[in-house]
Every structure is written in C-alpha cells, then in structure tokens.
Amino acid sequence: MGILLGLLTALSWGCSDFLARFSSRKIGSLRTTLYMQTIGLLLLTIALPRVGGWGHLFDGSGWQPWAWGLLTGSLNAFSTLCLYRSFEVGKLSVVAPLSASYPALTMAISFFTGERLTALRVVGIILILAGVAIVVRGEASATESLQEAPGAATSKTPGIGIALLSALGFGVLFWVLGNRAVPRVGYAATVWMIRLTSSVITALFLLVRRQPMGLPRDIKVSGWLLGMGVLDTGAFILNNLGMQLEQVSVVSVLSSLYGAVTVLLSAVILRERLQAVQWAGIAGIFVGIALISL
C-alpha cells in the first residue's frame, strides 16, 4: 500500500508542477507559490477532520509539534519558491529531473544518521549525481552554442542552479518529514502546518519586495492555481501517509518520480527538445531513483 501511495504522490506532483510552469510564467513564481499554498491551506482546513485530523497540534503535546511544523513549512517554502522560479525561467524537461534528484541527499543524510545503505542504493546515488552533472553540462553546452551564433544574446544557462537548490531543500525536507515531523505531528496535520507556514513566509517575502499580491483576473490562471492547490496538497498527504506504512527512503524515492511525469508532459505537450546526452543523463537519474527504491 505504501508503494502505491508513493506512485500516486508522484503522479499528483508531476501534474501539479506541469501546471506550475504556466502559472509561474504568467503571474510569477512568488504569486504562484502564495496562491497555491493558500488554496491548499483553505481546502485542507475544511477537509482535515476527514483526512487524519489535527494530529498532535491540539492534544496537549506542547510546543514541539508546532516547532516541527514550522521547520518543515520553512523548508517547503524555500524549496517550492526555488522550484517554481526554475519553472519560470528554465526548460521544464531539464529543471524538473534536477529538482527530482533530491533522494540522493535524503539517502545520504539517512546513511550519516545510522541507516545502512545497500550496494544497489550506493550505485543509485552515484547514477543520480552523474545524471545531474550530464544534464547540467549538456544544457550549458547548448547555451554556449547559441551564444556563439551570430547575433545571439549572451545569457547564462537558466534555471539550473535554482533547480539544484530546490533539490537540496527537498532532500532535507523529506528526511525531516519521515524521521521527525510526521511521527510527532501527524501525517495530515504536518501538511496543514506546511501550508500555513509557507503561505505566511511567501506573503512576507512579497511584502518585503513590494510586489503585487492581487488575485489573478484571468480565469485560466485561477484554474491552474486551484488544480495545483488540490494536487500538491493531496500529494503531500499521500506521501506522509505512505511514510507511515512503508520505509521513508522507499516512499521518498517513489514520490520523486514526479519528474518523469513532468518530463513526459513537457515532451508531449510543449514539444521541448533535449540533446541526446541530456536524455541519457535524465535516464541515469531515473535509473538511480529506481535502484534506490530496491
């Protein structure tokens, strides 16, 4: 059951991130993050009594569940802002697999905190890191070729660095979720805290940068944001529930397959083109993810 929940998580996150690409380019990554988080918070507040309840937030457990919720929410806010920014400026079929490489870090943290890694999982981590390097180098080479063309504008490879920052944040987040937050807060209550904290942090960030916070008037954008709020929040609940039924490392790796969903959608619908070596790198990332889950 935990494996099925991990796969459903990947499907939900993949579809949500695909929608995020359109919304981020229309209204910006900050407003997209704010409204996705806020919509998820409102919907989950209504549904929480039916999907796991308030966990340990109001049962007399004190301040610790709230502290873990605040930590996971802050990590999620950072990671999601980086992710959506990479969608805004980068090529979706490149930055999505890079952000989905976070299981390598999650597994590394698990190893240094006492969890044993099999030989297959070590090979998987190496493949993921190698795949990331290949994708990054392939995109940099493509950009350099464009810059050398007559009349081409000079610019750095977009989205790569911020996607890797997203992977870094998610790698830490999912270790904290599975080993600390979910057992101490509750699988659904943790998501509620993530949504609450992320919404507040993003709103404050918008205020500090003096950027507009007005609601989008385009009905299409509103539809994207509603879909993202439902899919992303639902994915977190499925992921956290799966962590209670299956090994944390296995569920984290399976959920990270969302990158495959996003790449498939971008290739089929957006017709994004990659170099052959980049496809090899992406394949390496997903083979590594598969080996980690064994």
Side-chain angles (χ1 to χ4, degrees):
M1 186 63 178
I3 291 176
L4 175 61
L5 291 174
L7 293 172
L8 289 174
T9 299
L11 180 62
S12 296
W13 264 329
C15 294
S16 175
D17 287 351
F18 184 71
L19 294 176
R21 182 263 188 193
F22 298 100
S23 179
S24 295
R25 297 190 178 192
K26 188 74 173 180
I27 64 172
S29 54
L30 282 172
R31 291 173 69 196
T32 294
T33 303
L34 174 64
Y35 291 124
M36 183 278 288
Q37 302 279 8
T38 304
I39 289 171
L41 174 64
L42 294 175
L43 293 176
L44 186 55
T45 301
I46 297 171
L48 198 59
R50 300 176 180 84
V51 292
W54 294 96
H56 299 292
L57 292 176
F58 299 105
D59 66 352
S61 297
W63 59 270
Q64 291 185 349
W66 291 87
W68 284 113
L70 179 62
L71 174 61
T72 56
S74 300
L75 286 169
N76 178 254
F78 168 79
S79 304
T80 304
L81 283 169
C82 290
L83 180 67
Y84 288 177
R85 178 59 179 171
S86 72
F87 291 163
E88 182 180 356
V89 301
K91 186 185 294 183
L92 190 61
S93 54
V94 171
V95 297
L98 294 180
S99 67
S101 66
Y102 67 83
L105 177 58
T106 303
M107 295 296 298
I109 298 174
S110 297
F111 173 76
F112 286 112
T113 53
E115 184 176 319
R116 294 185 62 184
L117 292 178
T118 65
L120 279 178
R121 290 185 171 182
V122 172
V123 173
I125 291 174
I126 293 173
L127 279 175
I128 289 173
L129 296 176
V132 169
I134 290 171
V135 171
V136 171
R137 183 56 196 162
E139 189 66 10
S141 298
T143 303
E144 289 168 4
S145 298
L146 288 175
Q147 290 176 354
E148 291 171 0
T154 58
S155 63
K156 295 182 179 180
T157 305
I160 296 291
I162 202 77
L164 292 175
L165 283 177
S166 173
L168 175 64
F170 281 128
V172 176
L173 171 64
F174 281 97
W175 184 87
V176 172
L177 278 175
N179 293 280
R180 298 292 186 271
V182 171
R184 290 167 172 78
V185 184
Y187 74 90
T190 302
V191 183
W192 187 82
M193 282 296 301
I194 286 174
R195 288 291 172 255
L196 176 63
T197 306
S198 298
S199 297
V200 172
I201 289 175
T202 309
L204 290 175
F205 198 59
L206 278 164
L207 288 173
V208 169
R209 298 191 63 178
R210 297 182 179 180
Q211 293 192 11
M213 298 175 60
L215 290 168
R217 298 180 180 180
D218 191 334
I219 188 66
K220 187 183 297 184
V221 176
S222 299
W224 294 335
L225 293 170
L226 177 61
M228 289 167 57
V230 172
L231 289 168
D232 193 89
T233 302
F236 260 114
I237 292 175
L238 292 171
N239 176 79
N240 291 357
L241 180 58
M243 286 180 170
Q244 294 186 323
L245 303 175
E246 183 59 76
Q247 284 185 317
V248 172
S249 56
V250 172
V251 175
S252 295
V253 169
L254 291 174
S255 65
S256 73
L257 292 172
Y258 74 83
V261 177
T262 308
V263 168
L264 180 61
L265 290 173
S266 64
V268 173
I269 297 177
L270 301 180
R271 305 293 184 183
E272 290 187 349
R273 294 184 178 182
L274 300 177
Q275 298 182 60
V277 67
Q278 289 179 289
W279 280 115
I282 290 171
I285 291 173
F286 290 124
V287 170
I289 290 172
L291 289 177
I292 288 177
S293 66
L294 295 177

